[in-house]
Amino acid sequence: MHSTKQLTKAVAERQADPHLVEIQRRFRCHVCGQPGSGPTVEVVVAGFQGVGWLDWTTPADLRRCEACGRWACAGHLIGQQCQDCTSRPIDGGGGAS
Ligand SMILES: [Zn+2]
Ligand SMILES: [Zn+2]
């Protein structure tokens, strides 16, 4: 006697929002690799009513370093710049050797 066990993968696939997958693939901290957790919520006040929508081009918890333009998480961003750029000594140019 055979018993066929059918696994439903619908549960796992239900959570996989294609936008979310995309944002996590495109935007991640270049220091630790942490992906963006989701879209930014933009709220614009029009008249006396606030209108909110999701901005899928900007990850919610990552910011772009203003020096190198790469994405970094809150833990690897000091002020407006990433850890790499703030720890790098500012040098006018020229190799030292
Ligand atoms: Zn990080
Ligand atoms: Zn940087």
Side-chain angles (χ1 to χ4, degrees):
M1 203 188 263
H2 293 285
S3 68
T4 319
K5 211 181 216 177
Q6 193 153 13
L7 294 173
T8 52
K9 50 181 181 173
V11 178
E13 285 180 353
R14 242 174 78 194
Q15 301 290 338
D17 187 322
H19 279 115
L20 191 61
V21 172
E22 177 76 4
I23 212 168
Q24 291 184 336
R25 205 177 52 198
R26 284 175 58 190
F27 303 109
R28 50 181 63 224
C29 172
H30 71 280
V31 181
C32 66
Q34 179 188 295
S37 65
T40 307
V41 181
E42 296 277 349
V43 178
V44 167
V45 178
F48 53 88
Q49 212 171 10
V51 180
W53 75 91
L54 301 177
D55 179 4
W56 290 102
T57 61
T58 310
D61 47 5
L62 300 178
R63 294 224 189 292
R64 203 188 274 276
C65 167
E66 72 169 15
C68 67
R70 290 180 294 182
W71 295 97
C73 69
H76 290 117
L77 200 80
I78 299 110
Q80 304 295 316
Q81 296 186 0
C82 72
Q83 185 182 267
D84 284 2
C85 293
T86 50
S87 64
R88 185 183 302 153
I90 297 163
D91 193 62
S97 70

